[in-house]
Amino acid sequence: MKKYFLLPLVLCSLLAVAAEGQEVTVERNVPATMRDGIVLRADIYRPKSDGKFPVLLQRTPYDKRGGVEFGLRAAARGFVAIVQDVRGRYTSDGEWYTFKNESNDGYDTVEWAAALPYSNGKVGMWGGSYVGATQMLTAIAHPPHLAGICPVVTASNYHENWTYQGGAFEQWFDESWTSGLAQDTFNRKVDDETNAREGMWKLPLADYPLFNFPAHGKPTATDSLAPYFLDWLAHPNYDDYWKRWSIEEHYADINVPALTIAAWYDIFLGGSLRNYMGIKAHGGEAARSGQRLLVTIGGHAGGGRKIGEVDFGSAAEEYDENNITLDWYDYLFRGVQNEFAKQKAVRIFVMGANQWREEDDWPLARARETKYFLHSAGKANSLRGDGKLSTSAPASEPPDQYVYDPANPVQTIGGPLCCDGHHLPPGPRDQRPVEARDDVLVYSTPPMSQDMEVTGPLSVELYAKSSTVDTDFTAKLVDVGPDGFAQNLSEGILRARYRDSREKPSLINPGEVYKLDIDLWATSNVFRKGHVLRLEISSSNFPRFDRNLNTGEDAKFGERFVSATNGIYHDAQHPSALILPVVPMQ
């Protein structure tokens, strides 16, 4: 048992309280025993008054002590807030492994929370990212006392829109997230292995070993601290490893209302939107009728009015996640007639216009699918090229061509990134350094003669070929201001061997033209009068995504790579196009 578990259970009354002025009681490290005997520990915040209250539960791998602010606010508003360290993290026992135990542990914790003497039996969950995953994985296990969820910026499939995208490995996220998670695992190992008796006979004394790791292996090795990372690499296809905890496979098992919060620049935007649509289409009756969707701007890319290099105005400051969560449960559990009783089901932030707007549903029924076709005289390479976008279909035009060299990939600049913004800043940022490269094809409209709104799902139909048996194709939607600032809006990638199936990849024939569909997820943006709509096409976006070695091998299995000469066709037989949902301006 770890030393910090030996601290006595703290039961204290806090006189410092939230705006409502109610006194709050806090219990620390309260144990809950799971079905297999593993003990998980939670901090509990509750009103210091008699009675039974609805429970708000968070299960986190990021240290439950981070829930103090929300816990105090929730308890001051008449909720019991419980923040639990998930299995194998911080104060909880057991072995940590991503996703594996969250359904069973979530079920057991919900039922434990519902039976507490101050609980009224209604349990809701809240939180974002992996904390959103703990909600979704609990919901598909449908514990009887779970009555609502509020998943924030989280995924729908832990293969396709978490660990991989379009068949490419989400390298920056996967590596930076794993490094962060491994710190607590390392600390626990140090705590378990440290024993001064093991080194007391060592001479000279200067050689005293601080920590007592096993003689074999490296104490910081990935297989010791994060074996799940190696498992992700070992399962590049969507196989049974991933299917066992895919939310998309289990929407019908979700029986509770959900407030889904997404964000345009968030790394899990695609999955968040799929969760809203999937639960509404396939969930239980209460889930289908109780769906709400809120789409803000930054998510993992940041909050406030300035995200990345763009100021989104004063309306962006209205977003307060904690307050919105509490309002949701006031409405859901107490019937409070607040904004959730009055608003439409969907509320989105429209960039460009920089304002909030309510909608009946997502996607918007009034949006018109509009194709912007690629055009050039075969020289669309870089901003210096002749690439154009228009709604007129191409006739006879030569293809564009570029060389993708894995030793010199296109660098990631901003976008939906996580989890090390200090070393690779996320969000909207000027893309002109990328557009200066000859291995990036740039297609642009003339300056807009009037405002044009694009809100909804985005995609690119690309007719492409390669000189190699496998390669990647990337696409990025950009809004260019009159000053030339090229603001990235959304982006996507497709690994060619996954063009038909994420489950059964197949290599391509060099020199053969293929129709490829690249998912750019979604956006909501008004291209202002005088702005330019731009599409970038290339074959790398590194280090956000791992480099395709162009050999048909994954980087996990080898280091050999070759350059690929890739071509993009845009003629009458191969009408490559950017597909946008254009919303009529009111």
Side-chain angles (χ1 to χ4, degrees):
M1 181 173 291
K2 298 197 179 299
K3 292 189 287 288
Y4 44 76
F5 289 171
L6 300 179
L7 294 172
L9 186 69
V10 178
L11 180 62
C12 59
S13 297
L14 296 188
L15 298 177
V17 291
E20 286 83 350
Q22 297 185 33
E23 197 171 342
V24 174
T25 292
V26 180
E27 297 174 80
R28 302 289 186 193
N29 293 329
V30 180
T33 303
M34 302 296 101
R35 64 188 67 182
D36 60 356
I38 294 295
V39 176
L40 310 185
R41 293 173 176 82
D43 293 343
I44 300 178
Y45 306 79
R46 56 186 175 86
K48 190 182 181 184
S49 59
D50 294 333
K52 294 182 180 292
F53 309 94
V55 174
L56 303 184
L57 169 67
Q58 180 175 108
R59 304 189 62 256
T60 178
Y62 303 124
D63 192 344
K64 58 183 169 54
R65 291 176 296 180
V68 172
E69 180 184 354
F70 182 89
L72 293 175
R73 288 177 63 176
R77 278 175 67 163
F79 294 97
V80 174
I82 301 177
V83 188
Q84 181 189 70
D85 290 325
V86 300
R87 179 180 296 238
R89 302 294 291 172
Y90 295 92
T91 63
S92 288
D93 297 347
E95 181 179 351
W96 160 249
Y97 191 100
T98 51
F99 312 117
K100 182 178 180 180
N101 299 294
E102 307 306 354
S103 283
N104 287 344
D105 287 354
Y107 183 107
D108 293 351
T109 302
V110 166
E111 295 308 296
W112 164 80
L116 292 170
Y118 35 76
S119 167
N120 71 359
K122 285 186 177 181
V123 180
M125 300 182 74
W126 94 94
S129 196
Y130 192 89
V131 181
T134 63
Q135 294 182 64
M136 302 303 292
L137 289 163
T138 298
I140 65 175
H142 41 79
H145 289 90
L146 183 66
I149 56 176
C150 183
V152 182
V153 291
T154 196
S156 63
N157 182 312
Y158 304 117
H159 175 267
E160 172 57 22
N161 50 64
W162 185 287
T163 311
Y164 289 83
Q165 183 180 333
F169 191 62
E170 281 266 13
Q171 183 173 340
W172 182 257
F173 166 65
D174 293 334
E175 292 180 347
S176 61
W177 185 51
T178 299
S179 293
L181 290 171
Q183 292 178 34
D184 177 58
T185 307
F186 179 78
N187 291 339
R188 293 163 73 97
K189 286 184 177 292
V190 167
D191 192 53
D192 288 340
E193 300 291 339
T194 298
N195 180 356
R197 294 183 65 89
E198 296 291 328
M200 67 184 183
W201 294 102
K202 190 74 174 179
L203 290 174
L205 294 182
D207 289 344
Y208 166 71
L210 292 174
F211 309 121
N212 310 118
F213 291 105
H216 62 279
K218 296 180 180 180
T220 58
T222 304
D223 59 355
S224 173
L225 296 180
Y228 44 86
F229 179 84
L230 300 180
D231 289 341
W232 301 342
L233 289 170
H235 295 271
N237 304 338
Y238 183 50
D239 58 16
D240 289 341
Y241 174 84
W242 301 104
K243 291 178 182 179
R244 57 182 161 166
W245 45 54
S246 171
I247 304 303
E248 293 180 9
E249 306 275 348
H250 295 283
Y251 285 138
D253 292 316
I254 297 178
N255 299 313
V256 297
L259 168 60
T260 297
I261 300 180
W264 300 126
Y265 285 96
D266 187 70
I267 192 171
F268 303 133
L269 170 66
S272 294
L273 296 176
R274 289 176 71 89
N275 281 337
Y276 169 78
M277 294 184 291
I279 297 172
K280 188 166 186 178
H282 304 292
E285 182 177 349
R288 292 196 305 271
S289 61
Q291 291 301 293
R292 299 289 190 278
L293 174 66
L294 173 65
V295 189
T296 182
I297 311 166
H300 286 89
R305 65 180 289 165
K306 187 173 183 182
I307 300 171
E309 297 175 330
V310 176
D311 188 330
F312 289 96
S314 59
E317 297 177 314
E318 298 174 10
Y319 175 67
D320 181 335
E321 184 178 308
N322 285 346
N323 195 56
I324 288 169
T325 301
L326 291 171
D327 287 349
W328 166 244
Y329 282 113
D330 271 340
Y331 161 74
L332 194 63
F333 287 176
R334 294 191 174 117
V336 175
Q337 296 301 293
N338 57 25
E339 65 271 24
F340 287 105
K342 303 170 186 175
Q343 289 175 349
K344 296 180 179 180
V346 176
R347 191 167 189 248
I348 62 175
F349 189 90
V350 182
M351 298 182 292
N354 292 342
Q355 61 187 16
W356 294 96
R357 192 172 69 208
E358 294 180 19
E359 296 289 347
D360 294 321
D361 203 1
W362 179 270
L364 280 58
R366 67 183 183 282
R368 298 196 299 262
E369 181 180 289
T370 304
K371 289 189 174 183
Y372 276 79
F373 295 96
L374 282 58
H375 297 273
S376 81
K379 298 179 180 179
N381 309 74
S382 84
L383 270 177
R384 301 178 297 276
D386 62 357
K388 295 179 175 58
L389 284 176
S390 81
T391 54
S392 300
S396 177
E397 297 178 0
D400 292 302
Q401 184 172 289
Y402 59 93
V403 175
Y404 158 51
D405 178 3
N408 183 29
V410 176
Q411 295 295 297
T412 299
I413 299 179
L417 299 172
C418 179
C419 300
D420 184 359
H422 177 70
H423 293 102
L424 190 61
R429 298 184 182 274
D430 194 348
Q431 300 301 303
R432 280 178 288 186
V434 165
E435 296 169 353
R437 297 175 57 119
D438 284 337
D439 55 356
V440 177
L441 305 180
V442 179
Y443 303 91
S444 305
T445 66
M448 295 285 169
S449 59
Q450 59 185 12
D451 291 355
M452 183 181 78
E453 180 183 334
V454 173
T455 295
L458 314 166
S459 63
V460 172
E461 289 181 353
L462 205 63
Y463 291 86
K465 72 173 183 179
S466 178
S467 63
T468 58
V469 296
D470 190 38
T471 195
D472 290 349
F473 290 96
T474 64
K476 186 184 299 176
L477 177 64
V478 179
D479 181 350
V480 186
D483 60 355
F485 182 86
Q487 176 184 339
N488 51 306
L489 293 174
S490 62
E491 57 193 52
I493 190 169
L494 180 64
R495 187 146 291 178
R497 68 176 180 266
Y498 291 102
R499 65 196 178 279
D500 296 322
S501 170
R502 301 293 193 268
E503 299 181 50
K504 299 178 180 179
S506 60
L507 299 177
I508 59 176
N509 297 318
E512 182 176 340
V513 179
Y514 293 87
K515 181 185 177 185
L516 307 174
D517 296 307
I518 304 178
D519 186 359
L520 274 64
W521 290 353
T523 195
S524 179
N525 184 71
V526 174
F527 291 82
R528 290 296 195 182
K529 180 179 179 181
H531 283 227
V532 166
L533 187 156
R534 178 171 292 165
L535 176 67
E536 299 172 9
I537 299 292
S538 192
S539 289
S540 52
N541 183 352
F542 179 80
R544 182 183 175 191
F545 301 109
D546 72 316
R547 294 166 291 168
N548 194 316
L549 304 182
N550 299 324
T551 62
E553 287 187 307
D554 287 302
K556 176 181 184 290
F557 302 109
E559 301 177 0
R560 185 182 69 87
F561 57 81
V562 297
S563 293
T565 299
N566 294 336
I568 304 300
Y569 285 74
H570 41 83
D571 54 42
Q573 289 73 42
H574 309 97
S576 294
L578 166 67
I579 304 174
L580 301 177
V582 176
V583 178
M585 298 296 292
Q586 297 177 349

